[in-house]
Amino acid sequence: MRWSRWRRSRQSFCGSATCARPRKERQMQDDRVVVIGAGVIGTMTARALAKRGRRVTLIERLPGAAELCSRGNAGMMAVGHAKAWAEPAAIPALGRALLGREPAVRVSRLLDPALWRWGIDFLRHCTASANAVNSDRERRLARFSRDMLKAAETEMGLPVATAHEGALYLFQDAAQFRSYAAKVGTGGEIEALDPAALIAREPGLAAMRDRLAGGLLSHIDSVGDCHLFTRRTAAWLADTGRIEIRYDTAVTGFTRRNGKIVAVETSAGPVPCGAVVLATGGETPDLTRPLGFAPAIYPVKGYSGTWRITDPAGVPRLPFVDETELLAVANYGDRLRVTAIAEFAGRDRSLPAARVKLLDDYVRRSFGAAVDLDTPEFWTGLRPTTPAGPPFLGKVKHFANLWINAGHGQLGWTMSLGAGEILAQHLTGETPALRDVSARARWLEAA
Ligand SMILES: Cc1cc2nc3c(=O)[nH]c(=O)nc-3n(C[C@H](O)[C@H](O)[C@H](O)COP(=O)(O)OP(=O)(O)OC[C@H]3O[C@@H](n4cnc5c(N)ncnc54)[C@H](O)[C@@H]3O)c2cc1C
């Protein structure tokens, strides 16, 4: 119903083919929302705004949507697993990482001043009470998002490629499994399974049988190819005329007047606007520094490998996280994707052989007989991560019309639809469906 209202208002707004009357043009320019960045976050924000009848221009520096961090992630909507990285146990883990004793966490650019600034803030959030608050924010946003994802493909008439049958969290260490399983009751959203029950539920794990101490099955998780979903959504929004997308266009600055952004400066000239949403992930501080604030978002590097599946019975159907080796595995039907590692390496996006080997070894050990080992594709992405964990979501103080939706860390796909929806609700003056979901910052009116 909202979509058809949007179409009617757009027709009356832009009745002639040219929309040429100068006054109308001025009005149109004034109310346009420019969303910067066509990753999963910017695209879902643009969709939520268009749904509310806003005229949206989505500007992206790269030639297509979801080409940066949203390209090769694990695709898990980890609702049952949504928790902030900053927790008491992260302090010794960081210590081990600094000594090179933590294969899944690496610090390769120790002398990066941005890392030190971010790291001090991260340590401040490592208390049990801060973790409880931040994890709760992420969990609520994740759950809200997942419920929206379930309907989104059918709502847009896209082929259904996301699955909503849950996810597994596997343990190779018996004590680790017992401590997690003790927190899980029976008959709830998450259930504990011993190795035999795990293999019975998911025969594709048979080759891992000897390593498994047990696992949790979260019934509330989903999985889907974030890159595919984002690109399909962007194409649908553009093809149906709901938004305008400008690819190959870099935003270089802003024109300000009386506390408002009146135009976004781009490599292709200025774009007048009524409001701006920063959905620029890890590059957000580059853009905002000239405006007088720099969100604490650090690029935490991760790696993925994607293998062609040759024997579907030999790989698990459900996605899983190996909680002991800290890898995530997702089955996209024809491809198996494995992701791992949190590396503090600044903006470096190289693929060192040792990191690739870690992924490759895991797949050979676990599913070597069921995938084509000769043609994997490796990728690296920089998770835009805030010290607290939840994203920066809300209006920027001292600017009447500047908004931000950035810093979703390891859960950007999981939180994307919900974060876009909450941002759009605030921007259009609706009552937001969730409150208190954003990370806090001096410069932010946090949603
Ligand atoms: C290995 C790995 C595994 C992951 N697994 C999962 C998972 O299983 N589940 C999950 O929920 N999340 C996962 N994530 C996290 C998720 O991928 C990110 O949180 C998410 O992609 C961030 O989306 P984004 O839109 O904010 O950033 P991006 O995808 O990086 O998009 C930002 C966009 O802004 C554009 N941009 C920046 N500056 C400008 C400018 N000046 N002008 C124009 N355009 C600009 C960029 O080109 C880019 O396209 C994973 C990440 C990694 C690295």
Side-chain angles (χ1 to χ4, degrees):
M1 184 165 133
R2 274 192 175 126
W3 290 113
S4 56
R5 200 168 66 218
W6 181 81
R7 261 199 300 277
R8 280 200 301 279
S9 70
R10 186 177 160 83
Q11 274 154 12
S12 62
F13 211 67
C14 198
S16 78
T18 55
C19 298
R21 282 195 305 169
R23 181 137 179 270
K24 256 192 175 161
E25 201 167 271
R26 270 205 307 281
Q27 284 173 350
M28 286 173 63
Q29 286 175 352
D30 282 350
D31 84 339
R32 179 204 325 243
V33 184
V34 170
V35 178
I36 311 172
V40 64
I41 300 299
T43 306
M44 298 314 137
T45 306
R47 175 177 183 267
L49 286 163
K51 203 161 126 183
R52 290 172 168 76
R54 296 308 297 259
R55 206 165 78 92
V56 179
T57 297
L58 178 59
I59 301 184
E60 168 58 51
R61 190 189 50 209
L62 298 173
E67 283 304 310
L68 214 56
C69 191
S70 307
R71 187 180 169 82
N73 62 33
M76 288 184 70
M77 288 213 131
V79 180
H81 193 60
K83 59 178 187 200
W85 273 351
E87 57 171 341
I91 299 174
L94 264 181
R96 288 193 300 276
L98 284 169
L99 298 171
R101 293 194 192 139
E102 189 70 47
V105 185
R106 302 274 171 170
V107 183
S108 323
R109 193 157 295 186
L110 187 57
L111 299 182
D112 180 0
L115 174 59
W116 280 91
R117 280 193 298 275
W118 184 92
I120 290 165
D121 213 359
F122 178 84
L123 290 174
R124 277 199 317 112
H125 286 94
C126 282
T127 62
S129 57
N131 179 262
V133 170
N134 290 320
S135 296
D136 176 64
R137 287 175 178 150
E138 294 192 352
R139 242 174 252 133
R140 286 184 294 119
L141 207 42
R143 187 178 284 256
F144 180 54
S145 272
R146 197 212 59 146
D147 292 347
M148 293 178 66
L149 176 70
K150 270 187 156 178
E153 284 168 318
T154 29
E155 215 176 287
M156 291 187 277
L158 301 178
V160 176
T162 58
H164 307 280
E165 289 150 35
L168 292 165
Y169 297 90
L170 306 181
F171 301 88
Q172 299 182 35
D173 180 279
Q176 194 190 13
F177 171 55
R178 276 197 301 274
S179 87
Y180 274 81
K183 295 176 203 148
V184 173
T186 47
E189 290 174 335
I190 302 180
E191 58 177 312
L193 303 175
D194 64 23
L198 266 180
I199 309 290
R201 179 73 178 73
E202 186 49 273
L205 292 174
M208 293 178 70
R209 185 190 309 264
D210 294 344
R211 280 186 275 151
L212 293 178
L216 304 180
L217 170 59
S218 165
H219 294 282
I220 50 175
D221 290 13
S222 300
V223 67
D225 184 334
C226 171
H227 181 241
L228 182 69
F229 181 83
T230 307
R231 288 178 78 89
R232 280 182 174 164
T233 302
W236 180 82
L237 288 168
D239 293 349
T240 56
R242 287 181 166 92
I243 69 168
E244 178 201 10
I245 307 187
R246 300 189 189 182
Y247 291 124
D248 289 312
T249 307
V251 172
T252 52
F254 303 94
T255 306
R256 289 187 268 179
R257 198 170 301 142
N258 302 327
K260 282 182 85 170
I261 308 287
V262 293
V264 169
E265 306 297 331
T266 79
S267 51
V271 181
C273 59
V276 177
V277 182
L278 300 160
T280 34
E283 289 165 67
T284 309
D286 299 348
L287 264 184
T288 61
R289 223 166 259 119
L291 297 176
F293 69 101
I297 299 177
Y298 195 81
V300 182
K301 190 178 182 183
Y303 296 82
S304 75
T306 308
W307 284 259
R308 196 171 58 80
I309 296 172
T310 51
D311 173 15
V315 291
R317 221 170 29 84
L318 290 178
F320 73 83
V321 175
D322 182 327
E323 293 280 4
T324 309
E325 294 195 46
L326 297 178
L327 290 99
V329 177
N331 178 341
Y332 293 149
D334 55 343
R335 293 160 297 140
L336 188 78
R337 178 162 298 158
V338 180
T339 69
I341 306 172
E343 183 170 356
F344 296 86
R347 300 278 179 90
D348 170 46
R349 293 191 65 212
S350 63
L351 273 167
R355 310 283 189 271
V356 167
K357 187 171 178 320
L358 187 131
L359 298 173
D360 203 54
D361 283 352
Y362 191 85
V363 168
R364 281 174 193 275
R365 264 190 291 146
S366 312
F367 315 110
V371 300
D372 179 356
L373 291 170
D374 296 330
T375 56
E377 282 177 23
F378 293 100
W379 170 88
T380 176
L382 304 176
R383 304 175 185 90
T385 309
T386 64
F392 293 124
L393 184 57
K395 194 180 79 63
V396 175
K397 281 180 186 164
H398 310 305
F399 290 89
N401 61 347
L402 180 60
W403 300 78
I404 184 167
N405 188 5
H408 301 69
Q410 79 279 19
L411 292 169
W413 167 227
T414 305
M415 300 194 279
S416 58
L417 280 115
E421 189 78 1
I422 299 294
L423 193 287
Q425 288 172 342
H426 276 275
L427 194 149
T428 57
E430 268 175 44
T431 306
L434 300 177
R435 291 189 187 279
D436 189 19
V437 285
S438 169
R440 296 291 185 259
R442 274 193 333 274
W443 47 267
L444 180 68
E445 289 172 21

